[in-house]
Amino acid sequence: MRILFSSIIFIFLTITVYSQESLYMPREFKEAYKNKTRAHNGNLGEHYWQNSGNYVIEAEIIPGSWKIIGKQTILYTNNSPDSLSEIVIKMYPNHYKKGGVRANKIPLKNLTDGMVISNLMVNGEVVNLNMDASVSNLAHATKEKNKNSNISVSYNSTFLTLEFNQPIPPNSTTKFSMDWETEMPSIYVNKIGAYDGESAFMGYWYPQIAVYDDIDGWDKNEYTGAQECYTDFGDFNVKIKVPKGNYVFATGDLLNPKDVFSSEEYSAYVLSKTSPENTNILNHKTTSKALNSEATWFFKAENVRDFGFGVTNNFNWVANATAVENKVVSSNIVYSHKDEKNLRDLLNTQNKSIQYLSNKLPGVAYPYNSFTSFIGVPEFDGMEFPMMANNGFSNREISNNLMTFHELAHTYLPHWVGINEVKYSWMEEGWATFLTFKFCQDFYRDTAFENYELNRAISSYNRSAGKQWETPLFSPSNYMVVRNMHFQQSYRKPAFMYLALEHLLGEKLFKICLKTYLNRWKGKHPTPFDFMFTFNDVSGKNLNWFWKKWVFEYGYADLALTKIESSKVVIENIGGLPVPVSLKLTYANNKTSIINNSPEIWSSGKSNILIEIINAEDLISVELVTDTFPDVNPSNNLLEIKI
């Protein structure tokens, strides 16, 4: 009996694993599962590993020109089982270098000399940065190593590669030190740069060791401005020197507030950390403009995947504290005074956003000590960084509210859960868009704006769906350089996939799956398979038929009512995606009823389904309800019956 029971368990496990592997999986992913760095139930594999780099940075900022003069050390830990024969260092500011690789147009005024690194040392060994024997054309690049040194250097557009004759062994830590100079764009572009001569936001601003992972090895994708970044987790100790009278707002905790604030500012700052009431810390009319002196701001952030900061001497700062479970989160709005008329009650919205994300969906407590919206972008745009957002302002209050929420929602994905934004932007932008649907419905419940964000996304999706460039979601995001393609594939289509998934599982089970996924992969780098396998595992359902259509195949949301056969209505799935089906039935006595079906109705894979109609003899019309989910062609959504 024991042998029989064990055999049954073995068969069950074999079927479960087989069902996961029945999805299309590229070779590099299969290798990871073979090596047990990842597991078919969506958990980390028993051999999962992840490298890290801890950064100590000193930077001096020169307002106006927005030049940055920096020096830093990086302690890079190789937790992989591999001996690393090379190290890749990202140089994101080279995006603005003359001759750099770009997927978008930028003002000529923003062209710079990029990032210049000097005095690079690896474990005390000086690196000759002039060495570059690579030759690139349509053929493969050829490289010639420096025969007089352990380390050779080759350059790409936005990264350099150090090649070692003596590889870096597993389970070792290597010290990198370097000086460098760069500058931010003088005209705001690609979500960073100057607002004016007195305020700017610094993002992608320091040399950073690229991610080396179990799927692709080194991330050698160029930063073109079309996608965002894939970064490892690490600790940051950052000192930022600015002329006195400038204020710095950054990722992490400010360690020396007494050194940089006046006594009045310091008192207000301390009060804001505990008071739920709005505290005005800075007013652009009263901020110090002292000349010929400097101040150094010291920030520390632990286990984050990036570091960003804003600098200003003419912004307002309003802050308060909002309680989340067993801690208090410092909530901050820093904004240009010229936008004050549009601010209205934005700090309150930000606090309600923190509460919604913590208590409702995803229902995971906000994981950091603070959040700051730095607002002055000269266009309506937004960009998330750990504990921060760099946002613009709209003349519409609802747009400002939803932008604030959207960027804050990115706290969870990609910052707390370290998504590869370069390859899988739909795994973070899609979630932020979906969560914004839900927040909007909650925040504006029983008002005319309740479905504002959902309706806006449905309209945008319907305009673009089904075009040739709408490739399967699994297609690497860094291949998307067409703007409409990027927005459709990264934001709209995945948001509606998550909405369809919620319809399929029900709100309660969906939330359990999402929370489990976030908690499993916090501080780690999940792939699409880790996400899908977790939902399969936690739901207890084999959802591969759903993933197959939404993630791996072409398809779009488009249903049609074709005919009524006796007491059944025939529905054709023209677009092929498994979507929810909602029918409105109208009877001769003017009574109506609604029939709702989850996407599971398409699990058989058939393109036509039949839905039973009650009291079909009195029916005068059947209509597909499309105000809660996209449908590309509304002309075939109504059947009228002649009596």
Side-chain angles (χ1 to χ4, degrees):
M1 190 66 169
R2 182 177 298 170
I3 294 174
L4 177 60
F5 179 75
S6 299
S7 299
I8 292 172
I9 292 295
F10 174 77
I11 292 170
F12 172 77
L13 290 174
T14 301
I15 292 171
T16 301
V17 171
Y18 177 78
S19 71
Q20 309 288 32
E21 291 183 338
S22 66
L23 290 174
Y24 164 75
M25 186 180 284
R27 289 165 50 198
E28 62 270 32
F29 291 86
K30 289 181 179 178
E31 193 69 20
Y33 285 94
K34 177 183 175 183
N35 293 333
K36 297 183 179 180
T37 55
R38 299 169 191 268
H40 285 100
N41 62 4
N43 268 302
L44 280 69
E46 60 183 283
H47 298 150
Y48 181 83
W49 54 266
Q50 189 169 300
N51 292 351
S52 65
N54 293 334
Y55 293 76
V56 177
I57 305 175
E58 294 182 16
E60 180 178 0
I61 314 302
I62 304 175
S65 69
W66 300 113
K67 290 184 178 179
I68 310 176
I69 302 169
K71 63 179 180 179
Q72 69 185 46
T73 60
I74 310 170
L75 295 180
Y76 182 74
T77 302
N78 177 21
N79 293 313
S80 80
D82 306 324
S83 294
L84 302 179
S85 60
E86 59 183 10
I87 292 285
V88 175
I89 299 178
K90 296 283 187 172
M91 303 165 68
Y92 292 111
N94 279 359
H95 176 64
Y96 305 99
K97 187 175 182 178
K98 302 174 184 71
V101 173
R102 284 181 285 276
N104 51 358
K105 185 173 72 172
I106 65 171
L108 291 176
K109 191 175 179 181
N110 280 345
L111 294 180
T112 69
D113 293 327
M115 173 169 276
V116 179
I117 295 178
S118 60
N119 300 324
L120 176 60
M121 301 179 71
V122 180
N123 284 340
E125 180 180 352
V126 176
V127 178
N128 179 4
L129 288 166
N130 295 322
M131 179 65 184
D132 182 15
S134 61
V135 178
S136 297
N137 49 33
L138 294 179
H140 292 292
T142 58
K143 298 178 183 178
E144 183 177 312
K145 289 190 175 182
N146 186 347
K147 298 177 181 178
N148 300 318
S149 173
N150 174 43
I151 306 172
S152 299
V153 181
S154 63
Y155 292 90
N156 287 70
S157 183
T158 56
F159 63 89
L160 65 80
T161 303
L162 305 179
E163 298 185 1
F164 295 83
N165 293 331
Q166 299 174 359
I168 296 172
N171 302 312
S172 66
T173 297
T174 303
K175 181 179 180 180
F176 296 80
S177 62
M178 65 196 77
D179 298 334
W180 51 271
E181 293 187 20
T182 190
E183 57 190 280
M184 289 292 100
S186 57
I187 299 174
Y188 171 87
V189 68
N190 288 344
K191 304 181 179 181
I192 62 170
Y195 303 154
D196 52 40
E198 298 180 306
S199 306
F201 194 91
M202 316 299 186
Y204 319 137
W205 57 280
Y206 58 96
Q208 185 182 90
I209 295 184
V211 176
Y212 180 82
D213 67 21
D214 60 321
I215 302 295
D216 298 309
W218 285 109
D219 169 25
K220 291 189 176 182
N221 289 291
E222 295 280 14
Y223 176 64
T224 66
Q227 272 69 45
E228 289 159 17
C229 302
Y230 182 31
T231 53
D232 266 325
F233 290 84
D235 296 341
F236 287 81
N237 287 271
V238 181
K239 291 182 178 179
I240 301 169
K241 182 188 293 185
V242 292
K244 201 165 182 63
N246 286 272
Y247 294 80
V248 181
F249 302 86
T251 297
D253 299 321
L254 177 62
L255 299 187
N256 63 334
K258 283 188 175 182
D259 297 337
V260 293
F261 294 135
S262 69
S263 57
E264 293 82 6
E265 291 164 354
Y266 178 74
S267 296
Y269 171 80
V270 171
L271 177 63
S272 74
K273 295 290 186 181
T274 57
S275 173
E277 302 300 322
N278 291 6
T279 301
N280 293 301
I281 303 174
L282 287 180
N283 184 299
H284 72 283
K285 296 178 181 178
T286 58
T287 53
S288 170
K289 302 292 192 298
L291 300 175
N292 302 319
S293 58
E294 295 175 328
T296 298
W297 298 62
F298 186 13
F299 294 90
K300 183 174 183 178
E302 295 181 344
N303 199 34
V304 295
R305 61 188 292 275
D306 200 2
F307 188 100
F309 65 98
V311 177
T312 182
N313 67 8
N314 65 355
F315 277 18
N316 295 347
W317 178 12
V318 182
N320 64 19
T322 183
V324 174
E325 289 193 356
N326 297 322
K327 69 177 182 180
V328 172
V329 176
S330 172
S331 181
N332 305 269
I333 300 287
V334 182
Y335 60 95
S336 171
H337 65 90
K338 69 180 185 299
D339 294 317
E340 188 158 18
K341 63 182 182 298
N342 298 318
L343 180 62
R344 300 183 178 94
D345 201 23
L346 197 59
L347 186 59
N348 178 55
T349 300
Q350 182 163 290
N351 292 344
K352 288 185 176 179
S353 300
I354 293 170
Q355 294 290 345
Y356 181 89
L357 291 162
S358 300
N359 300 326
K360 293 185 177 180
L361 197 68
V364 175
Y366 180 79
Y368 303 119
N369 294 330
S370 65
F371 186 82
T372 301
S373 288
F374 190 85
I375 305 166
V377 173
E379 59 187 64
F380 187 57
D381 196 2
M383 181 61 208
E384 70 280 0
F385 291 85
M387 305 176 222
M388 289 201 75
N390 177 32
N391 293 346
F393 251 19
S394 166
N395 290 324
R396 301 196 66 200
E397 180 179 358
I398 188 171
S399 298
N400 294 328
N401 287 343
L402 297 180
M403 169 71 79
T404 299
F405 176 85
H406 178 101
E407 302 307 333
L408 203 158
H410 276 303
T411 292
Y412 297 87
L413 300 144
H415 292 311
W416 198 54
V417 176
I419 303 299
N420 183 342
E421 298 176 277
V422 177
K423 289 177 65 180
Y424 318 124
S425 58
W426 60 273
M427 291 181 66
E428 45 100 17
E429 292 293 0
W431 276 116
T433 304
F434 166 79
L435 290 169
T436 306
F437 294 167
K438 309 297 284 188
F439 173 75
C440 183
Q441 291 170 335
D442 184 83
F443 190 76
Y444 290 102
R445 189 172 305 282
D446 299 325
T447 75
F449 296 110
E450 182 173 341
N451 290 306
Y452 171 85
E453 187 68 7
L454 178 64
N455 292 337
R456 197 168 71 95
I458 288 174
S459 177
S460 297
Y461 174 89
N462 285 340
R463 285 197 300 270
S464 298
K467 304 292 179 67
Q468 182 180 10
W469 45 256
E470 190 186 38
T471 59
L473 287 181
F474 194 68
S475 305
S477 306
N478 50 310
Y479 295 168
M480 301 177 192
V481 294
V482 178
R483 184 175 176 84
N484 283 345
M485 181 183 190
H486 170 60
F487 277 96
Q488 186 80 342
Q489 298 295 87
S490 299
Y491 294 78
R492 301 166 192 146
K493 185 174 182 178
F496 286 116
M497 180 183 76
Y498 301 135
L499 188 59
L501 186 59
E502 185 184 48
H503 278 282
L504 175 60
L505 298 178
E507 290 183 0
K508 183 177 179 180
L509 181 55
F510 174 85
K511 180 176 176 179
I512 292 171
C513 292
L514 176 55
K515 287 181 67 173
T516 303
Y517 166 59
L518 294 177
N519 281 304
R520 281 181 177 181
W521 288 93
K522 61 185 177 184
K524 303 294 189 296
H525 297 311
T527 72
F529 292 102
D530 301 313
F531 154 64
M532 293 183 289
F533 291 172
T534 292
F535 269 71
N536 284 9
D537 176 54
V538 177
S539 70
K541 298 176 180 289
N542 184 348
L543 300 171
N544 287 356
W545 60 272
F546 181 87
W547 308 127
K548 184 172 181 287
K549 291 290 186 180
W550 273 101
V551 178
F552 296 101
E553 295 183 356
Y554 283 89
Y556 54 98
D558 188 22
L559 303 180
L561 299 178
T562 58
K563 59 183 176 179
I564 293 179
E565 294 180 348
S566 63
S567 63
K568 295 181 177 66
V569 61
V570 180
I571 304 175
E572 181 182 1
N573 193 335
I574 295 174
L577 292 180
V579 299
V581 179
S582 182
L583 298 177
K584 179 182 178 182
L585 310 178
T586 303
Y587 294 93
N589 59 5
N590 288 327
K591 287 188 175 181
T592 61
S593 66
I594 300 291
I595 298 176
N596 292 314
N597 288 273
S598 87
E600 194 161 13
I601 200 168
W602 304 105
S603 60
S604 68
K606 295 179 180 178
S607 60
N608 291 276
I609 56 169
L610 284 74
I611 294 180
E612 185 79 27
I613 303 296
I614 299 174
N615 300 326
E617 62 275 6
D618 298 322
L619 194 67
I620 61 172
S621 70
V622 181
E623 183 180 6
L624 276 167
V625 180
T626 59
D627 58 355
T628 59
F629 207 88
D631 188 271
V632 168
N633 181 11
S635 67
N636 49 25
N637 291 348
L638 177 66
L639 281 177
E640 295 182 310
I641 302 163
K642 295 181 180 180
I643 299 178

